[in-house]
């Protein structure tokens, strides 16, 4: 799909999710740290996948496999074992198809075993929307005389946790254009069902000029930004119309 630089106005009904998450951010940020001190946890949005990773603080403890369990705080229930993250040797788990609501608080327990013996148990409670670290999406650029097409790679099927409203109004995509020390930020409007390659046109550029582009997701409540490595191109010179 192809989009221009002009963004559509935000419709009032689309603000409900933002308001809810902002309110929850204020509540959750005032709560005490409920994690234990055995592990360091990190949850990352990587290539549109939700990845939870952990690291033992005591490096003398070396489990040979781990099992991850979780529960949703708003839905009182027993801890559920994540089947594809049971008896695994890796220190991370892909929870994209397990966690479907960004504005939820999850309780997680990771047990580390050696054989049948439990060596360590780590646990943490966190509000996903304010703890997730946003890695930039993959993208490519194609240059022309006076514009650049930026192709951002979205998955063929967007996970439920990242519908179009979330990406547009809570984790908006930013495309940064740099040239000669001048930085311009573009905030493309994403369709609610965006999938596959998304194309954004940066136009009104100067021929025979060097431009660099980077992309990232901007967390509305956090200042931390993970930009992609820049991709640069020298636009071709304008053709001589008389000669042509």
């Amino acid at each position: 799909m192809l989009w221009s630089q002009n963004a559509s106005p935000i419709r009032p009904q689309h603000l409900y999710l933002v308001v809810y998450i902002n309110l929850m951010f204020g509540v959750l940020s005032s709560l005490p740290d409920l994690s234990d001190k055995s592990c360091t946890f990190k949850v990352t949005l990587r290539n549109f996948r939700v990845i939870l990773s952990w690291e033992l603080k005591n490096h003398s403890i070396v489990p040979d496999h781990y099992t991850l369990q979780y529960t949703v705080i708003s839905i009182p229930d027993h801890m559920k074992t994540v089947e594809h993250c049971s008896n695994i040797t890796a220190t991370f788990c892909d929870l994209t198809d397990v966690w479907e609501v960004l504005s939820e608080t999850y309780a997680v327990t990771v047990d580390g075993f050696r054989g049948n013996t439990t060596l360590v148990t780590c646990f943490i409670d966190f509000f996903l929307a304010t703890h997730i670290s946003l890695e930039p999406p993959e993208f490519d650029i194609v240059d022309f005389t006076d514009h650049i097409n930026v192709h951002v790679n979205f998955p063929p099927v967007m996970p439920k946790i990242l519908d179009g409203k979330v990406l547009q109004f809570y984790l908006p995509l930013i495309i940064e254009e740099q040239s000669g020390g001048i930085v311009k930020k573009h905030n493309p409007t994403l369709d609610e069902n965006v999938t596959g390659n998304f194309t954004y046109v940066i136009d009104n550029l100067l021929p025979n000029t060097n431009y660099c582009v980077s992309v990232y997701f901007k967390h509305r409540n956090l200042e931390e930004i993970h930009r992609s490595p820049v991709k640069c191109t020298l636009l071709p010179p304008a053709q001589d119309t008389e000669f042509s």
Side-chain angles (χ1 to χ4, degrees), residues 21 43 47 61 84 92 99 142 155 157 190 196:
I21 290 178
V43 60
N47 292 328
I61 301 175
H84 63 272
F92 64 88
W99 292 348
V142 179
V157 178
L190 300 178

Side-chain angles (χ1 to χ4, degrees), residues 13-84:
Q13 60 265 36
H14 287 170
L15 296 177
Y16 295 154
L17 177 64
V18 179
V19 171
Y20 174 73
I21 290 178
N22 286 339
L23 290 174
M24 288 300 295
F25 173 78
V27 173
L28 269 297
S29 62
S30 63
L31 292 179
D33 182 8
L34 299 178
S35 61
D36 72 331
K37 304 304 179 183
S38 302
C39 291
T40 300
F41 286 87
K42 184 176 182 179
V43 60
T44 306
L45 179 65
R46 182 182 305 150
N47 292 328
F48 300 95
R49 309 294 296 178
V50 178
I51 309 297
L52 178 70
S53 59
W54 57 90
E55 181 182 353
L56 299 183
K57 293 185 178 180
N58 186 348
H59 296 288
S60 65
I61 301 175
V62 186
D64 54 36
H65 63 280
Y66 299 90
T67 291
L68 185 146
Q69 297 177 296
Y70 82 98
T71 190
V72 182
I73 296 298
S74 66
I75 308 174
D77 200 355
H78 61 280
M79 299 293 285
K80 301 176 183 177
T81 299
V82 181
E83 294 300 327
H84 63 272

Side-chain angles (χ1 to χ4, degrees), residues 11-233:
R11 290 174 290 177
Q13 60 265 36
H14 287 170
L15 296 177
Y16 295 154
L17 177 64
V18 179
V19 171
Y20 174 73
I21 290 178
N22 286 339
L23 290 174
M24 288 300 295
F25 173 78
V27 173
L28 269 297
S29 62
S30 63
L31 292 179
D33 182 8
L34 299 178
S35 61
D36 72 331
K37 304 304 179 183
S38 302
C39 291
T40 300
F41 286 87
K42 184 176 182 179
V43 60
T44 306
L45 179 65
R46 182 182 305 150
N47 292 328
F48 300 95
R49 309 294 296 178
V50 178
I51 309 297
L52 178 70
S53 59
W54 57 90
E55 181 182 353
L56 299 183
K57 293 185 178 180
N58 186 348
H59 296 288
S60 65
I61 301 175
V62 186
D64 54 36
H65 63 280
Y66 299 90
T67 291
L68 185 146
Q69 297 177 296
Y70 82 98
T71 190
V72 182
I73 296 298
S74 66
I75 308 174
D77 200 355
H78 61 280
M79 299 293 285
K80 301 176 183 177
T81 299
V82 181
E83 294 300 327
H84 63 272
C85 294
S86 177
N87 297 322
I88 60 173
T89 58
T91 57
F92 64 88
C93 177
D94 187 333
L95 296 167
T96 308
D97 299 322
V98 179
W99 292 348
E100 297 182 349
V101 182
L102 187 66
S103 54
E104 265 294 2
T105 300
Y106 294 90
V108 176
T109 298
V110 174
D111 293 307
F113 301 89
R114 183 178 299 155
N116 295 324
T117 303
T118 303
L119 297 184
V120 63
T121 296
C122 302
F123 60 89
I124 188 173
D125 292 3
F126 59 84
F127 184 51
L128 184 57
T130 59
H131 280 75
I132 195 164
S133 177
L134 308 174
E135 291 191 0
E138 296 180 355
F139 75 102
D140 296 296
I141 60 174
V142 179
D143 61 337
F144 297 88
T145 303
D146 59 355
H147 67 278
I148 294 174
N149 284 0
V150 182
H151 302 296
V152 183
N153 300 327
F154 284 82
V157 178
M158 187 65 70
K160 292 182 180 180
I161 201 170
L162 294 174
D163 62 25
K165 292 180 182 179
V166 169
L167 289 177
Q168 180 60 38
F169 302 116
Y170 185 64
L171 306 177
L173 177 70
I174 306 297
I175 298 177
E176 229 174 54
E177 160 206 342
Q178 308 173 40
S179 180
I182 299 175
V183 177
K184 295 182 180 179
K185 296 181 180 181
H186 306 266
N187 181 198
T189 301
L190 300 178
D191 186 88
E192 293 181 7
N193 299 311
V194 59
T195 57
N197 289 334
F198 172 85
T199 299
Y200 181 79
V201 180
I202 303 177
D203 53 16
N204 299 319
L205 303 181
L206 299 176
N208 199 31
T209 303
N210 189 68
Y211 288 91
C212 294
V213 176
S214 63
V215 302
Y216 57 90
F217 291 110
K218 176 68 172 71
H219 198 299
R220 293 228 181 251
N221 287 322
L222 301 180
E223 295 300 323
E224 184 180 24
I225 293 176
H226 297 285
R227 289 178 172 81
S228 66
V230 297
K231 295 188 177 182
C232 300
T233 183

